[in-house]
Amino acid sequence: APCSGAMVEEMMSFHNLEVVVFFYNPNIHPKREYEIRKDENKAFCQTLGIAFVDCDYDTENWYARTKGMELDPERGRRCTVCFDMRMERTALYAHEHGFDAIATTNATSRWKDAVQVDGSGERAV
């Protein structure tokens, strides 16, 4: 299962939540790796009977926004830009489709900074 699996299952345990997986990860390279992760998420959602939204593999925008930050360390400026980009797109989709909340599994990784991720979410909504 994808790394988000446990969190998605936990959200599903709350019967008043409509859980939808919004897959928007233009930061994953090469594209073959992106496709592997997307297919795994799609299959996981199908197993659980929840909706899966396949968003654009928007690499041109990602490269443009992160240009000059290629050597930034993990948890650096590039991560903030990447989280901002992904949360903005998620919030836009949620607004356009009548959702009143968004969440992310990004902060569950030991490699990510939860405060940094939370900040991106707050700026996006």
Side-chain angles (χ1 to χ4, degrees), residues 38-113:
K38 181 178 77 171
D39 290 345
E40 184 68 24
N41 275 272
K42 194 182 295 186
F44 183 70
C45 288
Q46 196 169 32
T47 300
L48 296 176
I50 62 174
F52 176 85
V53 177
D54 182 2
C55 195
D56 185 21
Y57 187 51
D58 191 11
T59 56
E60 285 185 31
N61 189 12
W62 187 81
Y63 280 123
R65 288 177 74 159
T66 60
K67 186 174 182 172
M69 300 177 208
E70 294 83 0
L71 300 178
D72 279 15
E74 187 67 33
R75 299 181 178 185
R77 288 178 312 148
R78 185 171 74 170
C79 287
T80 299
V81 168
C82 183
F83 293 141
D84 283 351
M85 178 181 175
R86 294 163 67 200
M87 294 299 278
E88 289 162 8
R89 181 67 63 92
T90 304
L92 177 62
Y93 181 89
H95 173 75
E96 290 174 341
H97 293 87
F99 291 93
D100 59 5
I102 61 173
T104 182
T105 60
N106 286 324
T108 62
S109 169
R110 69 176 183 258
W111 305 111
K112 304 302 177 200
D113 178 347

Side-chain angles (χ1 to χ4, degrees), residues 13-58:
S13 72
F14 295 93
H15 299 288
N16 61 337
L17 289 180
E18 178 184 0
V19 178
V20 174
V21 171
F22 183 76
F23 194 81
Y24 178 61
N25 293 287
N27 54 305
I28 298 173
H29 306 282
K31 187 166 186 183
R32 177 72 188 126
E33 177 64 20
Y34 168 85
E35 293 293 338
I36 289 168
R37 293 186 195 194
K38 181 178 77 171
D39 290 345
E40 184 68 24
N41 275 272
K42 194 182 295 186
F44 183 70
C45 288
Q46 196 169 32
T47 300
L48 296 176
I50 62 174
F52 176 85
V53 177
D54 182 2
C55 195
D56 185 21
Y57 187 51
D58 191 11

